[in-house]
């Protein structure tokens, strides 16, 4: 008994290790390593990424890329509309992004991200895919400010394309404007298209401006019509700038029918 105790004290630990090793080897052989794999999974689980969380991150990234793609496609469509729009104007167009607008002057001014170094000058004509937007009133090297046709101080000579009745369009600070006719009984009705006049000295002729939504022939001092502007002035992102027109007045005509715009200085 004493000999057995001495042997256990000397070799007992080694015997237990050997027995455990044999047991693990037998279990590994019988389960084809499933026990060891399960043990590894349990020990490494805290360091592994949650599959559900990983899928959520991947799906979020996919949604982000889809939204970016949709935005790019929309911007490409807007630019394509500008490319396809060819008003009767001379000179090469300059495409410019709208980079600034003031909340309290939303319908008056807009700031473009192109300027003198890009070829833009004061009095250049600004258009969008829907038609007339306004004109450039001040320029710096890298930016330019435009006065929108919706501004109350703007005056644009226009004509009814169907009947050729003429008048002056003035802004109302919204997406509608007022057309005051020169005639006492103009031939105009709801739905008529309005375009810039051939007498206009600030804008090329026949540029779309808007559509008649209502008529008031009893207005004082001259008959009036309410015009819905065709250019998307409330949500401008890109515009196209054309050189200011240089043309003589038609023979026998009077002075230009638009009055001056407000002038605004820019600071670089």
């Amino acid at each position: 008994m004493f000999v057995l105790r001495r042997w256990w004290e000397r070799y007992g630990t080694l015997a237990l290790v050997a027995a455990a090793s044999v047991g693990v080897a037998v279990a590994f052989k019988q389960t084809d390593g499933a026990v060891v794999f399960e043990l590894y999974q349990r020990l490494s689980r805290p360091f592994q990424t949650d599959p559900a969380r990983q899928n959520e991150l991947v799906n979020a990234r996919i949604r982000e890329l889809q939204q970016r793609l949709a935005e790019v496609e929309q911007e490409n469509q807007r630019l394509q509309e500008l490319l396809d729009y060819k008003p009767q104007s001379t000179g090469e167009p300059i495409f410019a992004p709208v980079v600034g607008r003031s909340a309290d002057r939303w319908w008056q001014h807009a700031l473009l991200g192109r300027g003198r170094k890009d070829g833009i000058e004061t009095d250049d004509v600004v258009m969008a895919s829907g038609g007339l937007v306004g004109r450039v009133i001040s320029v710096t090297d890298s930016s330019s400010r435009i006065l929108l046709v919706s501004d109350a101080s703007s005056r644009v000579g226009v004509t009814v394309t169907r009947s050729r009745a003429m008048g002056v369009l003035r802004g109302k600070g919204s997406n509608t404007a007022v057309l005051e006719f020169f005639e006492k009984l103009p031939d105009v009705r709801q739905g008529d298209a309005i375009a810039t006049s051939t007498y206009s000295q600030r804008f090329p002729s026949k540029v779309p401006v808007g559509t008649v939504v209502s008529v008031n022939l009893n207005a004082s001092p001259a008959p009036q019509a309410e015009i819905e502007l065709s250019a998307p002035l409330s949500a401008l992102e890109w515009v196209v700038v054309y050189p200011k027109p240089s043309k003589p007045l038609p023979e026998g005509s009077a002075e230009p029918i638009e009055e001056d715009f407000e002038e605004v200085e820019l600071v670089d």
Side-chain angles (χ1 to χ4, degrees), residues 13-80:
T13 303
L14 183 59
L16 290 176
V17 172
S21 299
V22 172
V24 170
V26 172
F28 184 83
K29 183 178 181 180
Q30 291 180 348
T31 62
D32 294 328
V35 174
V36 176
F37 179 76
E38 180 66 23
L39 180 61
Y40 169 77
Q41 287 288 91
R42 290 181 179 274
L43 293 176
S44 63
R45 185 167 298 156
F47 306 100
Q48 294 178 354
T49 304
D50 184 5
R53 175 60 176 170
Q54 188 173 7
N55 290 337
E56 182 180 348
L57 294 175
V58 171
N59 291 335
R61 179 58 174 169
I62 291 175
R63 288 193 297 269
E64 178 187 355
L65 294 176
Q66 289 174 338
Q67 292 173 357
R68 289 178 181 270
L69 178 60
E71 180 65 24
V72 170
E73 289 177 345
Q74 291 176 3
E75 184 168 338
N76 286 341
Q77 182 178 357
R78 288 190 292 269
L79 292 177
Q80 186 62 46

Side-chain angles (χ1 to χ4, degrees), residues 25 31-32 35-36 49 61 64 66 72 93 95 106 118-119 123 128 143 150 154 184 186 190 225 266:
T31 62
D32 294 328
V35 174
V36 176
T49 304
R61 179 58 174 169
E64 178 187 355
Q66 289 174 338
V72 170
F95 296 94
W106 190 263
D118 302 294
D123 288 335
S143 65
S150 55
S154 71
K184 291 298 183 181
Q190 185 177 357
L266 287 179

Side-chain angles (χ1 to χ4, degrees), residues 163-174:
S163 65
R164 313 311 299 169
M166 295 186 182
V168 176
L169 184 89
R170 58 180 174 84
K172 292 175 54 180
S174 66

Side-chain angles (χ1 to χ4, degrees), residues 79 82-83 93-97 114 238-241:
L79 292 177
L82 289 177
L83 287 171
I94 301 172
F95 296 94
R114 299 284 189 273
W238 284 87
V239 297
V240 57
V241 182

Side-chain angles (χ1 to χ4, degrees), residues 34-189:
V35 174
V36 176
F37 179 76
E38 180 66 23
L39 180 61
Y40 169 77
Q41 287 288 91
R42 290 181 179 274
L43 293 176
S44 63
R45 185 167 298 156
F47 306 100
Q48 294 178 354
T49 304
D50 184 5
R53 175 60 176 170
Q54 188 173 7
N55 290 337
E56 182 180 348
L57 294 175
V58 171
N59 291 335
R61 179 58 174 169
I62 291 175
R63 288 193 297 269
E64 178 187 355
L65 294 176
Q66 289 174 338
Q67 292 173 357
R68 289 178 181 270
L69 178 60
E71 180 65 24
V72 170
E73 289 177 345
Q74 291 176 3
E75 184 168 338
N76 286 341
Q77 182 178 357
R78 288 190 292 269
L79 292 177
Q80 186 62 46
E81 290 174 352
L82 289 177
L83 287 171
D84 293 338
Y85 182 65
K86 297 179 176 62
Q88 295 184 356
S89 176
T90 59
E92 291 297 323
I94 301 172
F95 296 94
V98 177
V99 297
R101 296 182 76 169
S102 174
D104 58 345
R105 309 188 78 178
W106 190 263
W107 297 98
Q108 299 173 339
H109 297 154
L111 186 67
L112 305 182
R114 299 284 189 273
R116 190 178 297 111
K117 66 181 181 180
D118 302 294
I120 295 179
E121 299 180 357
T122 304
D123 288 335
D124 282 353
V125 179
V126 184
M127 305 179 192
S129 57
L132 186 64
V133 169
R135 76 175 181 97
V136 177
I137 55 175
S138 55
V139 184
T140 69
D141 286 341
S142 58
S143 65
S144 51
R145 187 176 299 277
I146 60 177
L147 188 70
L148 304 175
V149 293
S150 55
D151 185 271
S153 67
S154 71
R155 299 292 186 273
V156 182
V158 296
T159 182
V160 179
T161 58
R162 179 184 57 82
S163 65
R164 313 311 299 169
M166 295 186 182
V168 176
L169 184 89
R170 58 180 174 84
K172 292 175 54 180
S174 66
N175 66 336
T176 60
V178 173
L179 168 55
E180 293 184 347
F181 291 95
F182 298 140
E183 305 173 52
K184 291 298 183 181
L185 293 174
D187 183 3
V188 59
R189 57 185 180 225

